[in-house]
Amino acid sequence: MKIKNNSLSDNVSALAAGEVNSVTLVTQALKAAENLTSLNAIVSLNASQVLAQAIASDRRRAQGIQLSPIDGIPIAVKDNFLTKDYPTTACSNTQPLKFQFQDATIVSNLRAAGAVIFAKTNMHEWAFGATNSNSNIGPTCHPYDNTYITGGSSGGSAAAVSAGIVCAALGSDTGGSVRIPSSACGVYGFKPSYGRSSRYGVLPLSWSLDAPGPIASSLQDIEYLLPYFLGPDDRDTTTLNSKKYNPKSQHAGCKLVHLIGPGLERSEEIDAAVKSFLSTVKEVREESLPNVGRYFVSWETILHAEAAAYHSEKLNTEKDNFSDTTRIHLTAGMRITAVQFLKAQRLRAEFCKIINHQLGEWDALVVPTLPVAVPKHDEQWQVFSGRNVSTQDSMTWFCWLGNLAGLPCVSIPIGTSSSGLPIGVTLMGKPGKDEELLALAKIIEKSRLDGLN
Amino acid sequence: MDTNSPPNKIQRLLAEDKQVQKILDRIKAGLDYPEESNTLEPAHIFTPEQL
């Protein structure tokens, strides 16, 4: 499939220059969505509703009123963000939510900026999985080749951006759900620090791990979107100390810690791609992490227990409406003891200390986003570095690190595998230093692309 | 096949229970480690500001 480049920055410039209007952008997006139904990226889309938003944006512009640079830009939304004009299903057959048809804070911020809330996107059921294969409307297919998965759980959002249906989309990330599909689909995904982006109106998977973030086709496009994600929100108390987005034009250093060693293995092909990427960075230190398996279990325990707590009522009243896989995981979560949950929290604190120590005066940690090339739909297991890992576990192999420690993370495309599908790398910055991480990523990418030209 | 007919439902529930147990076994093995009870360091549980 030929991938059409759809850049938010270019669309912003074209709108500002009067070369295009919102109705044209939305019409193009509607046509692309219609032509690309084989991806199964879209859950709900109301053309007349979307065109009405575009017409309103064009009228404003004609009157000299522009709500923001993104006024009139169509943006897709993962189906676990509440939206006032679309149902929110989390791609599950569980009973409809009683409190839907209102906007999540981030959707509300984008709407206030004039963005066109274009469509809801396919996701792994209740975000409890990282392949996007388990959804009540069926799996999402990869835009490069439909026989491959997109990764998840924000797979529909990443596929929609990668295929050029929209130039930007929203995702949520509990163990990589923004970064995994972004990496697999060859686009950029940003997971803010825990507590910097409001979770209000985003159906939770795990309260203390979830972070909503943007997916787009460049770092510059991510930069356009972050102001609508970062900042305090009275309706999410974890964000009360969150600072509003404050762009950093420069980044002082460019020192990366490459995490390697037991528990952080990757295939030879991925390792070679990461090493090639790092060869353009002046200062790189290699470090291993102790007890990776134990800290992974800490993340897994917290994830299962918090998800089960959120869904406990549904498990009593309609457990057969969940898919088998989701029900199994939620049932396991219900059987985790309070003692186990507290042990996991204790390990989490220990892990945060180790991560902060590893970072020290250095600027970011770096890992491949995925340890293997993008899998096909029918591959249940991945074999790499002498390990036999389920495809599900291989998707979150590195990404959970950023969620357990609450770090800001960005996944950047760095090349393609022998199968021709994208490979991505993840940079993880210091907690709360989201702007610094983005500035660092831009510097590294510029130097890498300059080196390639 | 009707997975809700009584014999099939029992089979399905047993199979699911095995999967649940597998997840719980992995969690138990990861969380149970001997040195934990020997540490003098007080447990740090996240403060409301941190969570």
Side-chain angles (χ1 to χ4, degrees):
Chain A
M1 182 181 296
K2 190 175 181 307
I3 302 300
K4 178 175 160 264
N5 185 33
N6 190 352
S7 150
L8 191 155
S9 315
D10 289 350
N11 289 340
V12 165
S13 304
L15 278 169
E19 294 161 7
V20 71
N21 62 16
S22 178
V23 168
T24 308
L25 291 179
V26 163
T27 306
Q28 283 169 356
L30 287 169
K31 274 186 193 154
E34 198 182 330
N35 291 337
L36 296 167
T37 50
S38 61
L39 298 181
N40 205 22
I42 306 287
V43 178
S44 45
L45 170 57
N46 182 328
S48 56
Q49 191 176 282
V50 170
L51 278 166
Q53 292 178 64
I55 290 166
S57 172
D58 288 340
R59 274 202 193 123
R60 279 194 296 274
R61 217 173 268 272
Q63 291 165 2
I65 302 164
Q66 190 192 338
L67 296 177
S68 79
I70 63 164
D71 195 341
I73 301 277
I75 292 178
V77 179
K78 184 179 181 179
D79 202 29
N80 63 344
F81 285 70
L82 296 185
T83 42
K84 68 180 181 188
D85 41 11
Y86 284 119
T88 301
T89 70
C91 288
S92 179
N93 286 328
T94 49
Q95 289 295 310
L97 302 164
K98 291 178 189 132
F99 48 79
Q100 54 182 324
F101 299 111
Q102 55 175 307
D103 282 343
T105 294
I106 291 165
V107 174
S108 169
N109 292 345
L110 289 164
R111 214 188 279 278
V116 174
I117 302 305
F118 181 72
K120 299 300 278 293
T121 56
N122 197 358
M123 58 181 282
H124 205 108
E125 183 187 22
W126 285 105
F128 211 153
T131 59
N132 248 62
S133 304
N134 188 21
S135 154
N136 69 341
I137 65 158
T140 314
C141 296
H142 199 288
Y144 288 29
D145 181 334
N146 285 2
T147 61
Y148 288 84
I149 66 168
T150 56
S153 62
S154 314
S157 286
V161 173
S162 172
I165 298 172
V166 285
C167 58
L170 311 190
S172 61
D173 191 313
T174 308
S177 287
V178 162
R179 292 160 286 156
I180 293 161
S182 296
S183 172
C185 293
V187 293
Y188 296 73
F190 195 98
K191 180 200 92 68
S193 300
Y194 182 80
R196 282 220 58 194
S197 61
S198 171
R199 299 162 306 152
Y200 183 81
V202 183
L203 301 176
L205 171 57
S206 176
W207 293 298
S208 73
L209 297 165
D210 296 340
I215 297 172
S217 56
S218 72
L219 290 171
Q220 198 186 348
D221 290 1
I222 294 283
E223 197 167 19
Y224 268 111
L225 296 165
L226 278 183
Y228 309 103
F229 282 79
L230 306 186
D233 175 16
D234 289 344
R235 297 184 296 181
D236 178 354
T237 53
T238 63
T239 65
L240 293 180
N241 290 328
S242 173
K243 292 190 184 77
K244 282 189 175 173
Y245 177 67
N246 178 23
K248 303 275 182 242
S249 56
Q250 289 189 327
H251 192 275
C254 193
K255 300 193 295 185
L256 302 184
V257 183
H258 181 202
L259 295 179
I260 55 162
L264 301 170
E265 298 90 348
R266 69 288 310 257
S267 71
E268 283 176 20
E269 182 177 42
I270 300 293
D271 195 44
V274 174
K275 282 182 175 148
S276 162
F277 165 78
L278 290 173
S279 67
T280 60
V281 180
K282 276 187 190 157
E283 283 190 83
V284 181
R285 186 181 102 218
E286 287 192 340
E287 288 285 350
S288 59
L289 284 176
N291 306 318
V292 171
R294 186 183 295 166
Y295 298 123
F296 171 80
V297 166
S298 162
W299 169 78
E300 197 177 32
T301 306
I302 293 165
L303 167 71
H304 278 80
E306 291 185 353
Y310 175 72
H311 289 290
S312 57
E313 195 186 323
K314 283 193 204 70
L315 275 174
N316 280 332
T317 56
E318 51 164 334
K319 76 175 184 185
D320 288 336
N321 290 340
F322 289 103
S323 68
D324 292 352
T325 314
T326 305
R327 186 173 55 250
I328 285 165
H329 282 282
L330 291 173
T331 306
M334 289 297 284
R335 295 189 198 164
I336 288 169
T337 66
V339 170
Q340 286 176 321
F341 183 73
L342 287 168
K343 279 185 174 184
Q345 291 288 22
R346 194 172 181 191
L347 281 171
R348 184 182 195 175
E350 194 179 291
F351 177 73
C352 292
K353 220 187 256 184
I354 290 169
I355 285 286
N356 285 331
H357 177 75
Q358 293 286 32
L359 265 168
E361 296 303 310
W362 290 60
D363 299 300
L365 305 170
V366 59
V367 287
T369 307
L370 300 174
V372 289
V374 181
K376 287 193 163 189
H377 285 292
D378 55 1
E379 288 177 35
Q380 299 299 312
W381 295 90
Q382 302 298 313
V383 180
F384 58 96
S385 210
R387 285 179 172 264
N388 200 14
V389 177
S390 70
T391 297
Q392 162 62 36
D393 282 350
S394 74
M395 294 291 102
T396 55
W397 192 251
F398 295 107
C399 289
W400 63 270
L401 298 161
N403 299 83
L404 192 63
L407 310 176
C409 305
V410 61
S411 179
I412 300 169
I414 58 165
T416 50
S417 65
S418 54
S419 50
L421 270 75
I423 295 174
V425 79
T426 288
L427 302 176
M428 299 184 272
K430 293 176 182 170
K433 304 288 184 190
D434 299 52
E435 291 88 343
E436 285 82 349
L437 177 69
L438 186 64
L440 173 69
K442 284 170 75 180
I443 289 168
I444 292 173
E445 186 168 72
K446 186 175 181 309
S447 121
R448 186 175 74 87
L449 296 178
D450 286 349
L452 291 176
N453 293 330
Chain B
M1 186 176 71
D2 178 8
T3 52
N4 281 321
S5 70
N8 290 337
K9 191 169 181 182
I10 291 168
Q11 289 300 317
R12 178 171 67 86
L13 290 176
L14 285 172
E16 279 193 17
D17 203 59
K18 261 190 191 163
Q19 297 288 319
V20 169
Q21 202 50 52
K22 237 168 127 177
I23 297 168
L24 290 171
D25 288 347
R26 181 154 98 167
I27 283 172
K28 190 175 183 306
L31 295 177
D32 285 349
Y33 55 104
E35 65 266 38
E36 187 198 29
S37 55
N38 295 330
T39 180
L40 281 174
E41 191 178 342
H44 174 92
I45 304 300
F46 286 81
T47 63
E49 289 79 20
Q50 288 168 309
L51 287 182

